[in-house]
Amino acid sequence: MAVVKSSTRVFFIPGTACDEQLWKALWPSLYAKLSGESFQFIHLKIPNRGSMDEVILSLVQTIRGQSANQVFYLVGFSMGGYLASAVSLHFTKQLQGVFILSNTPKALPELELTQRKGIIKGIEKSGYKGLSRSRALEFVDLRHRGNESLLATIRSMDSAFNQRDILHHLQELSIRVDLSAPLLKGSKAIYFCHGDSDHLVDRQWLLSMQSQSELISVISIAQCGHYLPLEQPEQLALAMVNILRVI
């Protein structure tokens, strides 16, 4: 866990098969741009067992314990974006803002669920073989497909999880509902950030949310696929810093 000063906490929730390496380029950029200001970045590990509701409540309890009744921000990537959205509904005054990266907090599309069921069957039959390079390439922008360091990080994160963890992510944590109604009723600022070539994000859903609330903003990052914190950490940091400084 990286620390500058014991002050405003920012909790980061990763996505499917992602660990703290997800933030390795983003955090240094944020700290550099927030020089002279007091922020503490905290990576939250997703519980490796339990239903979606149980995982959400576990994260809520962890944040309550670590926030020390002080104000904080939430950042969630991909599946972590869904979790951050759900977690945010349990807080009022403490929570200052939510950054949802590369995620649409609603039920997964049928095509995605079908693909996951196929992956699950393959794992149960032959075991988990890890994320292939070709599969990793599907998630990143065309301009980054020659970035071997980026691809190595994505695959390294995946390799840190055992088969049970992966199945938990693909099974229990794939059961999601549309959170638009409760999010629109909330009183905190929400920032949906996504890559302009991320095919996993429902842009129309996000824009509809933005049109219904002055507290909701949609930020598109150019030349970026799904792995926003790794593909465009500088551009994401710029967007986040401008918000953190004014909230």
Side-chain angles (χ1 to χ4, degrees), residues 99-216:
F99 294 89
I100 309 301
L101 315 179
S102 310
N103 179 260
T104 313
K106 64 173 187 172
L108 290 170
E110 285 301 318
L111 177 60
E112 176 66 19
L113 290 173
T114 299
Q115 291 177 336
R116 292 188 178 210
K117 288 177 182 177
I119 295 172
I120 290 167
K121 286 183 179 179
I123 292 174
E124 292 175 339
K125 180 180 179 180
S126 307
Y128 186 59
K129 307 299 183 182
L131 184 69
S132 67
R133 185 178 186 279
S134 60
R135 177 63 172 162
L137 284 171
E138 295 177 12
F139 295 104
V140 302
D141 186 87
L142 286 170
R143 300 168 186 81
H144 301 301
R145 293 185 178 179
N147 187 335
E148 294 301 328
S149 176
L150 167 65
L151 297 175
T153 298
I154 294 172
R155 299 181 69 192
S156 173
M157 291 192 296
D158 176 80
S159 68
F161 293 83
N162 59 39
Q163 181 170 307
R164 189 185 73 175
D165 295 335
I166 296 296
L167 285 174
H168 182 235
H169 286 184
L170 296 177
Q171 292 174 321
E172 286 88 346
L173 300 189
S174 289
I175 302 173
R176 309 175 192 178
V177 297
D178 192 317
L179 298 178
S180 57
L183 289 174
L184 285 169
K185 292 178 182 177
S187 58
K188 76 278 298 181
I190 303 175
Y191 302 91
F192 290 105
C193 307
H194 67 85
D196 64 351
S197 64
D198 186 352
H199 61 277
L200 298 179
V201 170
D202 185 339
R203 291 167 180 75
Q204 291 305 312
W205 189 96
L206 297 180
L207 292 173
S208 174
M209 289 285 285
Q210 180 177 242
S211 70
Q212 296 177 69
S213 173
E214 294 182 351
L215 292 173
I216 295 176

Side-chain angles (χ1 to χ4, degrees), residues 29-48:
S29 183
L30 280 172
Y31 276 137
K33 291 174 174 56
L34 289 168
S35 177
E37 301 182 46
S38 300
F39 285 90
Q40 179 183 358
F41 300 159
I42 301 171
H43 171 81
L44 295 180
K45 184 177 180 180
I46 297 173
N48 61 5

Side-chain angles (χ1 to χ4, degrees), residues 47 49-58 83 168 172-173 175:
R49 62 185 63 190
S51 67
M52 176 64 83
D53 286 343
E54 289 170 336
V55 166
I56 290 167
L57 289 177
S58 177
L83 291 170
H168 182 235
E172 286 88 346
L173 300 189
I175 302 173

Side-chain angles (χ1 to χ4, degrees), residues 1-12 27 30-31 34 37-44 66-68 70-75 244:
M1 181 179 71
V3 178
V4 175
K5 295 179 181 179
S6 180
S7 188
T8 304
R9 293 165 176 82
V10 185
F11 293 98
F12 289 76
W27 282 10
L30 280 172
Y31 276 137
L34 289 168
E37 301 182 46
S38 300
F39 285 90
Q40 179 183 358
F41 300 159
I42 301 171
H43 171 81
L44 295 180
Q66 295 192 32
S67 61
Q70 301 299 309
V71 298
F72 66 88
Y73 300 90
L74 271 177
V75 181
L244 289 171

